[in-house]
Amino acid sequence: MSSSTFASGSSNSSGNSKASVDFARFARETFEKTYGAPTYVAAEARRSQGQDKVISIEYTTSQRDFARDSKRKVAGHMVLGIDDDSTTATVLAKGVPADAGSVSMSLRSPVDSSVVAVLRTASKTERFVEIWHDGALAKSIDVSSVHGEFYGDSTFGKLAWSVNGKSIVYAAEKPEYDKARPEPATPDNSGEEIAGDITDDIIGGVAGIADPRRYEVESDWGETFDGKRPPALVVLDVSSGAARVLAAPDGVSPGQAQCLEECIVFTGYKYAVRKHGIVYCQNRPTGIYTCDFDGGNVKCLHSGSVRSPRVTPSGKGLVFLSTTPGGPHASTSELIYYDLADESATIL
C-alpha cells in the first residue's frame, strides 16, 4: 500500500470517527431532552378568595434525572389570570420548583385551605403523616409501626379529607404480622407466654414463635406492585394522631378512597386465589363500595369493571369510570353517575 493511500485511509477513518462521536452526542442529547421531559402526574386548582379571575394551581411533575440516574418528583406552583373573554389565561406568577421525592401525596383541607395533609416517607422503615398550617409544620405523626409503605399510585393510592376536616383517609400496605419475641430469661416467673402455651387459635407473636399468619402466602398485584403487601385503608384522626387500619372485605383490595359526610367510598379490586394485573387492564372485576369510618357496614353500590369514584359537589351522588368486563384490557370507558338517594346508575 502506498503512503498516499495509507494517508488517505487514515484521514477517512478519522473523519468517520469524528462523525460517529458527533452523532452519538447528538443522539444522547436528543434522547435526554425527549425522555427527560417532565410529566404532569397530579394537580389541584382553586380560585383565589374574592377573585374569580385568578386561579392558583399546585402541581406535581415526574422527571428523569440522568446525572443521578433516577426518577424525581417535583412540586410546583403557579398563579393564572383568566382573561375577560374566559377563553385564555396568563401566567401571573410561578414559584420555584421543590423536590418532592419523599412525599407520597398531599391535599388541602376542605374546611381550611391553609391546612395541608402530607404523606411523607423518610426512609424505608420510617413513615409520617404531616399536618401543615400556613406554611409551617403543625404536627408530625409517626405511622411507621401502624402500617407498611404508603400507596401513592393512581390504582390504589388516594388521600382524602373527611367532610368535617377532622380525619384523613389513605391507602397503605397492611401491617406485617408479629415476629417471634425473644424467649424470656425466667419464663416461670415472668408471666410471658412461651411456645409451650401456644394453641391453634393464638393471635400475635409470643415468646419463641411468630404470629402464624406471618407465614400465610398472600400474593401481590404484580406489575408495578411487585413485592408490595396488599393495600388497606387507614383512617387517621388529625387531632389525636391516632391511626387505624380498616379491615378489608374478603376477596377485595381497597383503594382510591373518597369521603362522604358519614362514610368512606372506595374502589374494591376483587380477587380469588390469584390476583391478575390491574394497572394496564381496566377490565378486571371491581366494585364501588362504602363503609363506615371504623370499617364497618361495608356495602357494594355498583359492580362491574369500575374505578376512580369522585363525590359530586352536592354530596348527593358519585361519578366513576366503567369499562366493559372482559374483552380488551384497556378499552373505552364510560362515565357513570350514581344517585345515592335512589341507588341508581346512569351513563353520562
Side-chain angles (χ1 to χ4, degrees):
M1 178 184 293
S2 68
S3 59
S4 60
T5 304
F6 181 81
S8 175
S10 298
S11 176
N12 289 337
S13 174
S14 175
N16 291 337
S17 176
K18 183 178 185 305
S20 298
V21 171
D22 290 344
F23 176 78
R25 182 181 295 111
F26 171 77
R28 180 179 177 82
E29 290 175 352
T30 303
F31 173 80
E32 291 186 357
K33 184 181 296 185
T34 304
Y35 191 55
T39 302
Y40 290 90
V41 296
E44 179 186 1
R46 53 194 175 89
R47 294 186 184 277
S48 299
Q49 288 186 333
Q51 300 184 61
D52 291 340
K53 295 290 186 179
V54 178
I55 297 178
S56 175
I57 300 177
E58 295 174 345
Y59 58 90
T60 303
T61 61
S62 176
Q63 186 171 9
R64 179 68 62 179
D65 186 331
F66 291 96
R68 297 186 183 183
D69 191 22
S70 64
K71 201 171 186 178
R72 302 179 65 182
K73 190 160 60 171
V74 178
H77 175 251
M78 69 173 67
V79 179
L80 299 181
I82 307 301
D83 295 341
D84 292 336
D85 58 7
S86 298
T87 60
T88 56
T90 303
V91 177
L92 302 179
K94 196 169 185 178
V96 177
D99 191 293
S102 63
V103 176
S104 294
M105 286 190 165
S106 63
L107 186 67
R108 291 184 181 274
S109 167
V111 176
D112 184 351
S113 61
S114 66
V115 176
V116 182
V118 176
L119 308 182
R120 189 180 302 277
T121 301
S123 69
K124 185 68 176 178
T125 59
E126 294 180 305
R127 292 167 291 276
F128 298 86
V129 174
E130 300 173 349
I131 306 299
W132 292 74
H133 183 239
D134 280 335
L137 181 63
K139 185 175 294 188
S140 183
I141 304 162
D142 189 344
V143 294
S144 307
S145 62
V146 179
H147 54 70
E149 295 180 5
F150 296 116
Y151 270 88
D153 60 284
S154 60
T155 302
F156 292 108
K158 193 76 178 72
L159 173 60
W161 281 87
S162 61
V163 175
N164 59 17
K166 295 182 178 181
S167 302
I168 61 170
V169 183
Y170 58 90
E173 287 181 318
K174 287 182 179 179
E176 198 169 20
Y177 291 118
D178 295 339
K179 297 180 180 179
R181 296 204 295 268
E183 292 278 4
T186 54
D188 293 338
N189 301 323
S190 67
E192 180 79 33
E193 289 182 288
I194 59 176
D197 298 324
I198 292 173
T199 62
D200 290 340
D201 59 352
I202 191 73
I203 298 296
V206 296
I209 193 168
D211 188 318
R213 294 172 296 177
R214 184 179 178 86
Y215 304 108
E216 293 178 357
V217 176
E218 189 168 9
S219 62
D220 56 44
W221 279 99
E223 296 173 334
T224 59
F225 305 114
D226 187 34
K228 294 199 71 167
R229 295 199 298 277
L233 296 184
V234 182
V235 177
L236 182 139
D237 184 286
V238 173
S239 178
S240 66
R244 176 176 183 172
V245 178
L246 306 186
D250 291 338
V252 172
S253 287
Q256 300 181 332
Q258 295 280 310
C259 291
L260 290 168
E261 190 167 350
E262 297 180 352
C263 64
I264 300 169
V265 180
F266 64 92
T267 301
Y269 295 88
K270 302 177 183 179
Y271 62 90
V273 177
R274 178 183 176 186
K275 296 186 176 84
H276 297 278
I278 54 176
V279 174
Y280 310 111
C281 307
Q282 289 86 46
N283 62 342
R284 305 300 191 195
T286 62
I288 302 297
Y289 293 79
T290 60
C291 71
D292 296 337
F293 280 87
D294 62 1
N297 196 27
V298 178
K299 180 180 179 181
C300 182
L301 303 181
H302 194 84
S303 291
S305 292
V306 291
R307 65 193 186 281
S308 303
R310 297 293 186 271
V311 181
T312 59
S314 66
K316 297 180 179 180
L318 306 171
V319 289
F320 51 84
L321 296 173
S322 176
T323 304
T324 303
H329 286 186
S331 60
T332 304
S333 298
E334 296 174 329
L335 186 62
I336 305 293
Y337 171 75
Y338 185 88
D339 189 294
L340 293 168
D342 60 19
E343 300 182 351
S344 63
T346 305
I347 300 175
L348 299 177

